[in-house]
Amino acid sequence: MRRGFPLALLAIGLATTLTAGADADTSGSRQTDDAAINRIVRAIQAPSIPDRDFLVTDFGAVGDGATDARPGIMAAIAEAAGRGGGRVVLPAGTWLSEGPVHLRSRIELHLAEGATLLFGSAARDYLPVVPTRWEGTELYGYSPLIYGNNVHDVAITGKGVIDGNERHEFHGWYDKQSADQQRLRQMGFTGVPPTERVFGEGTFLRPSAIQFFHAKRVLLSDYTVHNSPFWINHLVYTDQATVRGLNVDSHRSNNDGVDVDSSRFVLVEDNTFRTGDDSVVVKSGRDLDGRTVGRPSEHVVVRDNDMGGEDGIALGSEMSGDIRHVYFTDNVLRDGASAIRFKGNLDRGGTVEHIRVRDMTVGSFETLFWFQLDYPGEQGGNYPPVYRDIVFDGFTVDSAGTVLNAHGPEAVPLRDVTFSDITVKQAEKPLELLNVDGLRFQNVVIGNSRVDGRLSWQ
């Protein structure tokens, strides 16, 4: 059924108004949002780490790119942890690590300018399995390259480089992962205990480059990342984290720049992303596993970043544990497939609410706003995801193939979404809609036409 929506809006020439409705007052809400952003940032504590250095060279590590430096790196971490913490320093050089670097509480891993931490290429070196989360489902899998489990007051800093190794065996696993991927998803959907979800030798689920799993007070600062096997900077069950000043330049499959996954009080600012997938994405678990864990991502600020991923920013599709109070502001989105992509399907459940995306400078994207919420569940579920209380405000956009592509679930239409003060200089298709209710438009300019009012389509 069509309600209050001129068919001409689907053409390049827009009608000038939709169904009449009261204009949204964004001035007061902006002040409220500014106050909320400030409260979140003030609440994030920096890690408390003793001011003393442990040079890996003092523990036998050699930075020649050929000798395995991992024993020396791990010995330095153990010594620092045993003395109550400190900064483990990799000086200039190429430090080969034939296996993962596991961090401990009150440790700062510092890569000096000119230092490269190069990971070895053999998958077997990233065993034994560790507890982790893969695409929103808990399991025991291959260790991330840098990993911290049940840690507090921990940091990775410095102007050096973390290199996952262009020759890594993991890079060939994307084409081999499907059977293991589906088996893990089925385990999570049916409630198989996580301790029985073991994906070690003979399986093909790639680990993240950097993952914190149950962590508090985390700082990721200034380093560069190349050749990540999977997600790049992955925060799982992490409270109070700052991700600042990174240069994330990795273009392999599923190379999200930052994944905020069931984490709280997170600040992502002043980073540069050139990635093979989303620049920054917020998640909270998949299907029954995510709903059972029940840990939302909330109180997240993403600001002043330069984003050049395939997609700019995203929520979901793993959002079963809920996402709320997320603020994206003052970011630059370059070019790609989707500038803003919010995802879900009928296996997920979960609620995404109170999301603010504002003051964005956007280049050219195939789709500007994409709500992809009605995909059939792979496992046959009927748990429609709910997205509501979302505001997009203050966009300048060079061009878009489609400005708004929104498909909501039939049982729970997409509603309570506002678009205000948005200018799109050029677009091929303004709107593609299904199951939306009362979308609000205020001063949305596409080409030479302006759109104001409310829109519903079912």
Side-chain angles (χ1 to χ4, degrees):
M1 180 175 65
R2 176 161 52 93
R3 300 199 306 269
F5 178 50
L7 188 60
L9 281 169
L10 292 175
I12 293 178
L14 282 170
T16 56
T17 60
L18 286 69
T19 301
D23 288 343
D25 180 8
T26 59
S27 59
S29 63
R30 270 183 169 265
Q31 294 174 358
T32 300
D33 293 342
D34 285 341
I37 289 169
N38 290 334
R39 282 196 300 271
I40 292 168
V41 173
R42 286 196 303 267
I44 299 172
Q45 299 178 8
S48 176
I49 299 172
D51 184 16
R52 52 178 172 243
D53 288 352
F54 298 81
L55 272 67
V56 296
T57 50
D58 292 339
F59 296 85
V62 177
D64 62 2
T67 304
D68 184 9
R70 183 173 182 269
I73 295 170
M74 296 309 300
I77 290 172
E79 177 68 16
R83 292 174 55 184
R87 190 170 77 152
V88 173
V89 179
L90 277 65
T94 299
W95 307 89
L96 176 64
S97 182
E98 299 281 13
V101 172
H102 287 187
L103 299 180
R104 296 170 64 176
S105 295
R106 308 197 75 192
I107 296 296
E108 175 183 347
L109 180 66
H110 181 78
L111 288 81
E113 189 167 5
T116 296
L117 177 55
L118 174 65
F119 284 91
S121 62
R124 65 178 179 274
D125 292 334
Y126 299 83
L127 295 172
V129 297
V130 297
T132 180
R133 204 183 213 187
W134 200 88
E135 287 191 339
T137 303
E138 291 189 354
L139 75 158
Y140 285 76
Y142 282 83
S143 174
L145 310 188
I146 300 177
Y147 177 68
N149 179 18
N150 283 306
V151 293
H152 62 84
D153 300 293
V154 64
I156 306 171
T157 66
K159 297 292 187 179
V161 174
I162 297 168
D163 189 343
N165 196 326
E166 64 181 358
R167 298 182 178 86
H168 208 298
E169 186 179 351
F170 288 142
H171 298 321
W173 285 9
Y174 177 79
D175 294 329
K176 302 178 180 179
Q177 72 182 19
S178 180
D180 294 317
Q181 181 184 53
Q182 295 305 319
R183 183 162 63 96
L184 176 62
R185 290 177 178 179
Q186 180 68 17
M187 287 177 164
F189 187 82
T190 58
V192 173
T195 52
E196 297 178 18
R197 307 173 200 161
V198 180
F199 288 75
E201 188 171 1
T203 65
F204 299 101
L205 300 182
R206 297 158 291 148
S208 298
I210 298 160
Q211 185 185 92
F212 290 90
F213 189 78
H214 294 284
K216 293 181 180 179
R217 294 182 297 278
V218 173
L219 172 64
L220 306 179
S221 176
D222 296 331
Y223 56 82
T224 294
V225 185
H226 302 306
N227 295 308
S228 173
F230 189 56
W231 296 353
I232 302 173
N233 298 281
H234 188 192
L235 303 171
V236 188
Y237 312 142
T238 295
D239 290 349
Q240 302 192 54
T242 300
V243 183
R244 177 184 294 128
L246 304 188
N247 177 26
V248 182
D249 187 4
S250 191
H251 300 268
R252 298 183 181 275
S253 299
N254 308 113
N255 274 188
D256 297 340
V258 174
D259 290 84
V260 179
D261 194 355
S262 292
S263 294
R264 305 169 64 248
F265 292 98
V266 178
L267 173 63
V268 181
E269 66 176 358
D270 297 320
N271 303 285
T272 299
F273 298 101
R274 300 293 183 266
T275 60
D277 210 321
D278 307 316
S279 290
V280 178
V281 56
V282 182
K283 301 174 178 286
S284 66
R286 176 184 289 268
D287 303 346
L288 176 63
D289 193 60
R291 297 193 299 272
T292 300
V293 172
R295 292 187 61 161
S297 278
E298 58 186 344
H299 308 304
V300 178
V301 175
V302 181
R303 66 186 184 187
D304 299 313
N305 299 284
D306 184 331
M307 301 181 176
E310 178 186 12
D311 294 334
I313 63 175
L315 303 181
S317 69
E318 302 88 351
M319 38 68 70
S320 302
D322 299 339
I323 298 170
R324 53 185 175 248
H325 299 290
V326 179
Y327 301 86
F328 297 91
T329 183
D330 296 283
N331 298 288
V332 175
L333 282 67
R334 297 293 175 178
D335 305 298
S338 302
I340 315 290
R341 190 175 183 185
F342 293 174
K343 300 174 281 187
N345 72 26
L346 296 181
D347 291 333
R348 295 290 186 269
T351 298
V352 175
E353 59 189 343
H354 201 88
I355 309 299
R356 302 292 183 262
V357 188
R358 68 184 206 184
D359 298 334
M360 309 289 273
T361 301
V362 183
S364 298
F365 282 83
E366 296 170 20
T367 304
L368 178 58
F369 304 108
W370 191 358
F371 286 86
Q372 187 180 13
L373 310 181
D374 65 341
Y375 270 28
E378 295 176 349
Q379 310 298 331
N382 188 23
Y383 306 94
V386 176
Y387 278 71
R388 65 191 181 201
D389 187 12
I390 299 169
V391 177
F392 301 99
D393 180 45
F395 278 60
T396 301
V397 183
D398 288 340
S399 66
T402 301
V403 175
L404 172 59
N405 184 331
H407 288 199
E410 184 176 359
V412 187
L414 176 66
R415 56 170 53 96
D416 195 13
V417 180
T418 298
F419 301 86
S420 65
D421 293 326
I422 294 169
T423 298
V424 182
K425 297 175 185 177
Q426 181 179 351
E428 297 176 13
K429 181 190 296 184
L431 306 171
E432 183 176 322
L433 304 174
L434 181 66
N435 296 324
V436 301
D437 184 14
L439 304 187
R440 293 184 294 272
F441 294 80
Q442 178 184 350
N443 191 30
V444 176
V445 177
I446 303 176
N448 296 320
S449 298
R450 171 170 165 161
V451 185
D452 294 283
R454 294 176 179 267
L455 183 154
S456 298
W457 185 285
Q458 289 182 311

